[in-house]
Amino acid sequence: MKIATWNVNSLKVRQQHVIDWLEASGTDVLCLQELKLTDDKFPRAELEEKGYRSWFAGQKTYNGVGIVVRAGLNVDEDSVVRNIPGFEDPQQRVIAATIEGVRIVSAYFPNGQAPGTDKFAYKLRWLAALHDWVASEMARSPKFALLGDYNIAPEDRDVHDPKAWEGQNLVSPEERAEFVRLIALGLTDAFRQFEQPEKIYSWWDYRMMAFRRNAGMRIDHILLSKALAEICTSCEVDKVPRKWEQPSDHAPVVAQLG
DNA sequence: ATGGCTTATGTGATAAGA
């Protein structure tokens, strides 16, 4: 099973990219973030036509997450959960489903704006709630995968210019500590399981020709429980869709299970 | 240089992203 995560920065604008990339990559389960549309605007029928079923939690203008699954894969309908249970939040940032016995979570972590702001405090509250919920999910589902836009670059090697970014949003010690706390639950960063070239990133600012300069950050991740990490044979960032016309500022991250 | 693009909303300027 090939699983992937992609922040599409508006599914309305990126609908054709998603369809093209699904077919080109052979992905079985695609976790989407930043749909930026309400549920009635989700292109469910269009994806169905191409052979994929979808589950999603959308809202107007901002956020919104989904899981797109190749038809034929077994999805437990009763397993679908939207948002972090017990964490009151109007922002649609989490959806989970059990697919072929694998607990899949698609998550859009808060951006946080800057340390010291209200949005940053919300990010830390959200991370704490996610941590506790993930712990309980892992206890129930040994095959567990947390995919999404984490809005955290875990280490300096995940940042094009660590000196310039030191202490700032996405790399601050508080955020990185929360990432480490997730890892401490028994999760593995699938990307770092394998030898990788240097300077691999998953997001590049639209401005300043950042993509051409490879001035990016690795903030989109696939974390796997032990049972899945053991059967994971590859994990890569696919930069190709970032070169397409009118691209998302994020590239998809893909992991092969089994 | 705290901007530089891109998107949504809505029809023009603002908010938000990272």
Side-chain angles (χ1 to χ4, degrees):
Chain A
M1 188 160 84
K2 189 177 264 190
I3 64 173
T5 180
W6 195 6
N7 178 325
V8 290
N9 184 21
S10 168
L11 183 57
K12 183 186 172 190
V13 176
R14 240 65 68 182
Q15 179 178 325
Q16 194 57 48
H17 283 200
V18 167
I19 289 167
D20 290 346
W21 187 77
L22 275 169
E23 294 181 335
S25 65
T27 296
D28 296 300
V29 177
L30 174 58
C31 294
L32 297 172
Q33 300 89 35
E34 279 210 269
L35 305 179
K36 293 188 172 180
L37 43 72
T38 47
D39 286 350
D40 58 303
K41 301 279 198 327
F42 190 99
R44 178 201 287 251
E46 289 82 350
L47 286 162
E48 193 98 41
E49 239 172 69
K50 303 291 178 183
Y52 298 90
R53 290 188 293 160
S54 308
W55 288 264
F56 41 86
Q59 68 177 85
K60 197 174 177 180
T61 311
Y62 302 118
N63 310 309
V65 288
I67 304 178
V68 179
V69 183
R70 184 188 300 284
L73 270 69
N74 180 50
V75 181
D76 177 1
E77 296 279 355
D78 299 330
S79 72
V80 178
V81 169
R82 291 169 181 82
N83 282 318
I84 303 169
F87 185 77
E88 279 297 315
D89 193 351
Q91 302 187 35
Q92 302 299 308
R93 296 184 175 279
V94 170
I95 186 165
T98 303
I99 302 156
E100 296 286 323
V102 177
R103 192 75 178 138
I104 297 278
V105 180
S106 176
Y108 176 44
F109 291 42
N111 172 280
Q113 193 172 55
T117 63
D118 288 350
K119 286 177 183 173
F120 192 82
Y122 162 69
K123 184 178 193 172
L124 294 180
R125 277 204 315 279
W126 188 94
L127 282 162
L130 180 79
H131 171 275
D132 293 353
W133 176 62
V134 165
S136 66
E137 288 291 296
M138 288 179 70
R140 287 169 44 186
S141 307
K143 295 181 188 171
F144 177 89
L146 177 61
L147 303 89
D149 175 359
Y150 283 57
N151 272 316
I152 301 172
E155 300 177 60
D156 280 355
R157 60 178 166 163
D158 301 313
V159 182
H160 72 280
D161 187 349
K163 274 220 170 107
W165 277 87
E166 193 176 357
Q168 295 200 53
N169 195 42
L170 312 183
V171 307
S172 72
E174 298 100 309
E175 294 162 75
R176 284 179 167 176
E178 286 296 334
F179 187 88
V180 170
R181 283 211 318 133
L182 285 171
I183 296 291
L185 292 172
L187 292 165
T188 300
D189 182 347
F191 182 81
R192 290 294 177 211
Q193 272 206 120
F194 305 96
E195 197 172 321
Q196 301 286 358
E198 285 184 21
K199 303 183 194 307
I200 296 293
Y201 308 122
S202 67
W203 168 82
W204 302 262
D205 201 303
Y206 282 123
R207 299 167 291 187
M208 291 293 284
M209 296 183 291
F211 184 66
R212 266 206 275 177
R213 297 187 293 119
N214 195 29
M217 314 253 268
R218 194 177 69 94
I219 55 176
D220 301 86
H221 308 295
I222 299 177
L223 263 51
L224 301 174
S225 66
K226 187 163 186 290
L228 293 183
E230 280 170 358
I231 61 163
C232 181
T233 54
S234 73
C235 181
E236 287 166 353
V237 177
D238 185 354
K239 281 176 76 167
V240 171
R242 188 63 174 78
K243 301 170 189 172
W244 291 347
E245 199 175 327
Q246 204 178 5
S248 167
D249 43 358
H250 295 252
V253 183
V254 194
Q256 178 72 44
L257 302 180

